[in-house]
Amino acid sequence: QLKNYIITPPYAPADAPPATPADAAARAAADETLLRHVPFLLNLARLAYLTGVDVREELKRYAGEDIPAKFGEELERLQKGGKRAAQPSGAPASTMTVWQRMRSSRASS
């Protein structure tokens, strides 16, 4: 499924010796990669569940980008503007903002 993936740096076990100091720094950053993707992945799952959006189309929007950074910028912009998230084409409009949906799903957890 070539359209259903996110490229991340390879994981290196913490106990593997780094070849250079730069490798050690890169490894530390790579170890955080999946954690940085969690908000995006949660939102993607919610969006797919609530609207039936095709996940592949949403992933296309972030192709070649630093997904956590771009997603964080979008959420910050929406939060500051008090606007609703843009709905994917063909998706039903929601009366809740992204932040409201995230808060309501946390409250129900």
Side-chain angles (χ1 to χ4, degrees):
Q1 302 286 348
L2 296 178
K3 296 179 183 178
N4 297 336
Y5 65 89
I6 297 171
I7 296 174
T8 62
Y11 174 76
D15 58 351
T20 66
D23 287 347
R27 180 176 300 159
D31 287 348
E32 297 289 320
T33 299
L34 288 178
L35 291 175
R36 291 180 54 232
H37 278 80
V38 168
F40 170 74
L41 294 170
L42 287 172
N43 190 66
L44 187 61
R46 287 185 190 112
L47 188 63
Y49 176 76
L50 294 172
T51 67
V53 68
D54 185 351
V55 170
R56 295 170 292 201
E57 294 300 317
E58 286 299 303
L59 290 176
K60 276 186 197 177
R61 291 181 49 217
Y62 295 91
E65 301 276 348
D66 177 3
I67 293 173
K70 183 174 179 182
F71 180 72
E73 290 169 6
E74 288 178 7
L75 286 182
E76 185 177 325
R77 181 179 46 81
L78 289 169
Q79 184 183 30
K80 284 182 180 177
K83 297 179 182 177
R84 292 186 201 143
Q87 295 294 323
S89 59
S94 172
T95 59
M96 297 173 69
T97 66
V98 171
W99 288 104
Q100 290 168 330
R101 287 186 296 211
M102 291 174 81
R103 284 189 196 117
S104 68
S105 66
R106 284 185 188 159
S108 63
S109 299

